[in-house]
Amino acid sequence: MTELIYPTINLFLYDLRDGIGQNPEEIANNHNKFKQKLLENIRDSLLQFDTEFDAEYVELLGSQKIERFKASGGLYEGYYYPVRLGDTYGLLLDCSINNQVTPYPVNCLADLKAQIDIKLKSQPASIGQTWMVTGHLPNNSSRTSESVAQACYNALMPNGNWQQDFQGQGHLLGGTLFELWRYRLSMKEDTRSSLPPNLQSIQENHHVIIALYPDAIAHHKAAQFNFDWMRLFCYRNKILWAYAQSRYLKQQLKADFVPLQKGITDLRKVSYPKLKLLTPILEEAQDTLSRYSINISYFDYQLRNIEINLDNYKKRLVTLQEKAERETVNSLLPKDLASLIQNPAITSLISNSALSPFLSQFTNSQGLLDLKLLEKFSNDVEDKYLRQVQKDYENLSPGEKLLEGLMNSINSVRSLIEIDQQERDRNLQSTVAILGVGLAGGSIVASVCTQFPIDTPDKALKHPVGHALNSYLHVPPDWVVSATSGVFIVSATIIFGLLTWLVIWLWEHFFKQ
């Protein structure tokens, strides 16, 4: 039977606090989702301590730091440690057997994980999470560290595959670290959604660290590194989260790239007389233009996000390495000398002198410290993920030139439409002016027709116009008076309209210039 003393699970979980482009309502929703992962009696502390605009690291329980709990009648114990790391919420949820001396079968890790799931109400992390299993081996154990680690992994991840997921091993405070990781994107090729996906829908990411220590002292000292792991794993998970987001954005950008080209072609094909056909083309092109512009900006943001968090990961790993070296050396020295080395001034002197690489080589040679397995991730990010995102951005950036071309085409077409509209407006105004003046002239003539000597049929028939109407058009004598007046009115309307048209034409072609 594979056994472990004081088996413990630490879950490092990370949620988004405030993302780029999120409004206050969305930020409040992120806040509430993270609160649901905490005990009710400590949820209000988030409002009390999470008040800064840009905070690098804030312990959300203040000076209390952690909130302890017990479960199953005291069989299990653990604690919550919530923090804020810039735009991210972090939570360390610790759960262990409430017995530090008796060996337990490693199968108990499944029960510890179940307790954590109960505490979290099975709510997933929006950015990512890392599982860390710790414990120390019984003195009479005949099992190797690797065989115990395999048994631990099988208990924690029943669907895991040690051979495929194993990434490497190292050493910390004399203990052996095993890293296991399975990462796979699960996006479909034809996925198209206007809403950003959640983490679980686009990637599969299982990250597990198993740390087996030789004794209780080393195990206890290793617990002091939990807060350092909190920062390191945060950067790690944010890198993968940003990479997954970039894959989604790449898919959206590729889907819009072809319509951008088609939009430019369609706009150029439409001739001047067919400008009415441009309305649906312009609307579709404008939507694609806006969507592509926003997505390419977000893609660039995710690229920068990977670069920044990779740099932070490297720096935090150096800090962790230095701290581990000091703790390892302290464990090998007499207490008086160890306390002297812990003095901040002496520590700074050692870090900045030639003693630092000597201490590093010394601890490595003793098999007590080796964290190179954690460097493998940063190398993988540089060689694969970061390079991939950079290449994708270079390939998709020409779309910005298409954006400019599309925008220029849209502006050109809009100019044509505006010119056409202005021309039609001027023609309409001219027509209204001609008709208005003509009708006004006709009205004036109509008002004075009664004063003409044609108010009776006899007088109208003697008038040349009335005589012509009666003789040639056979207008009855009784209608000659009205017909003659109508001719005068229509003639006056036409004459005034022609004069108005002539004035407008002369103004447009000579006087306006």
Side-chain angles (χ1 to χ4, degrees), residues 188-392:
K188 295 182 180 180
E189 182 65 27
D190 58 348
T191 298
R192 184 62 191 250
S193 172
S194 59
L195 298 176
N198 56 47
L199 185 72
Q200 292 72 32
S201 67
I202 61 176
Q203 73 172 7
E204 179 185 4
N205 179 22
H206 297 290
H207 183 226
V208 179
I209 299 290
I210 300 175
L212 304 177
Y213 296 97
D215 51 48
I217 297 176
H219 190 188
H220 177 74
K221 287 185 176 181
Q224 301 175 11
F225 287 82
N226 284 343
F227 306 140
D228 298 282
W229 294 123
M230 172 68 82
R231 290 176 183 259
L232 186 72
F233 294 150
C234 177
Y235 302 136
R236 185 188 196 282
N237 281 283
K238 288 181 72 175
I239 289 171
L240 295 175
W241 177 80
Y243 178 74
Q245 296 295 320
S246 75
R247 299 305 86 197
Y248 166 77
L249 291 169
K250 176 185 176 182
Q251 186 182 61
Q252 304 301 304
L253 289 166
K254 287 180 65 178
D256 285 332
F257 198 88
V258 174
L260 280 178
Q261 294 175 313
K262 182 177 181 297
I264 294 176
T265 303
D266 291 343
L267 288 174
R268 290 175 176 172
K269 284 181 178 179
V270 177
S271 59
Y272 183 80
K274 299 180 180 179
L275 290 178
K276 292 181 179 179
L277 301 176
L278 282 173
T279 300
I281 298 176
L282 283 176
E283 290 178 353
E284 182 179 357
Q286 192 68 46
D287 290 342
T288 304
L289 174 67
S290 176
R291 190 167 56 245
Y292 195 94
S293 179
I294 292 173
N295 284 339
I296 197 67
S297 298
Y298 283 165
F299 193 93
D300 181 60
Y301 173 79
Q302 299 304 339
L303 172 59
R304 307 304 168 201
N305 205 0
I306 294 174
E307 292 175 341
I308 292 172
N309 284 286
L310 177 59
D311 185 61
N312 290 336
Y313 181 90
K314 291 179 178 179
K315 291 178 180 178
R316 179 52 52 180
L317 186 56
V318 171
T319 302
L320 182 65
Q321 176 85 20
E322 292 175 348
K323 179 177 178 179
E325 288 173 357
R326 292 194 299 269
E327 291 295 332
T328 303
V329 171
N330 291 342
S331 65
L332 300 175
L333 298 176
K335 291 185 178 181
D336 294 340
L337 185 56
S339 61
L340 177 63
I341 291 180
Q342 290 177 347
N343 185 288
I346 301 299
T347 300
S348 177
L349 180 62
I350 292 175
S351 299
N352 297 322
S353 67
L355 285 176
S356 182
F358 168 75
L359 293 177
S360 179
Q361 293 178 6
F362 174 73
T363 54
N364 290 340
S365 65
Q366 298 298 313
L368 301 175
L369 179 62
D370 180 9
L371 299 180
K372 290 182 180 179
L373 80 161
L374 300 176
E375 295 178 4
K376 182 178 182 297
F377 173 74
S378 60
N379 295 333
D380 289 344
V381 171
E382 287 184 333
D383 296 339
K384 180 180 179 181
Y385 301 110
L386 180 58
R387 180 174 297 180
Q388 180 67 54
V389 177
Q390 289 172 337
K391 290 297 181 182
D392 289 338

Side-chain angles (χ1 to χ4, degrees), residues 124-175:
S126 61
I127 290 181
Q129 62 187 27
T130 293
W131 296 89
M132 176 174 279
V133 176
T134 65
H136 57 275
L137 303 174
N139 293 330
N140 58 354
S141 175
S142 60
R143 306 294 297 272
T144 63
S145 296
E146 182 172 350
S147 63
V148 175
Q150 288 190 37
C152 291
Y153 187 63
N154 293 333
L156 185 70
M157 298 290 177
N159 297 325
N161 186 313
W162 176 274
Q163 299 299 327
Q164 294 180 5
D165 302 342
F166 180 71
Q167 300 296 315
Q169 70 180 58
H171 299 282
L172 175 65
L173 301 178

Side-chain angles (χ1 to χ4, degrees), residues 63-109:
S63 58
Q64 178 185 345
K65 290 192 175 184
I66 65 174
E67 175 71 14
R68 297 186 180 276
F69 69 86
K70 290 188 178 182
S72 298
L75 176 61
Y76 308 110
E77 64 177 2
Y79 63 84
Y80 290 81
Y81 176 64
V83 298
R84 175 187 168 188
L85 303 101
D87 61 354
T88 306
Y89 285 125
L91 174 63
L92 167 55
L93 186 51
D94 173 285
C95 189
S96 60
I97 298 290
N98 190 13
N99 186 321
Q100 301 187 25
V101 295
T102 303
Y104 283 84
V106 296
N107 292 336
C108 70
L109 293 174

Side-chain angles (χ1 to χ4, degrees), residues 111-123:
D111 299 326
L112 293 176
K113 184 182 179 183
Q115 289 297 320
I116 290 178
D117 290 337
I118 292 173
K119 295 294 181 182
L120 294 176
K121 302 180 180 64
S122 299
Q123 298 180 81

Side-chain angles (χ1 to χ4, degrees), residues 16-43:
L16 182 65
R17 180 186 182 272
D18 54 287
I20 183 172
Q22 288 194 322
N23 57 43
E25 182 179 351
E26 291 171 323
I27 295 174
N29 186 45
N30 296 339
H31 180 90
N32 291 330
K33 285 183 178 179
F34 182 70
K35 281 175 59 175
Q36 299 307 312
K37 295 181 172 70
L38 305 178
L39 294 174
E40 292 186 7
N41 61 306
I42 60 174
R43 290 176 183 175

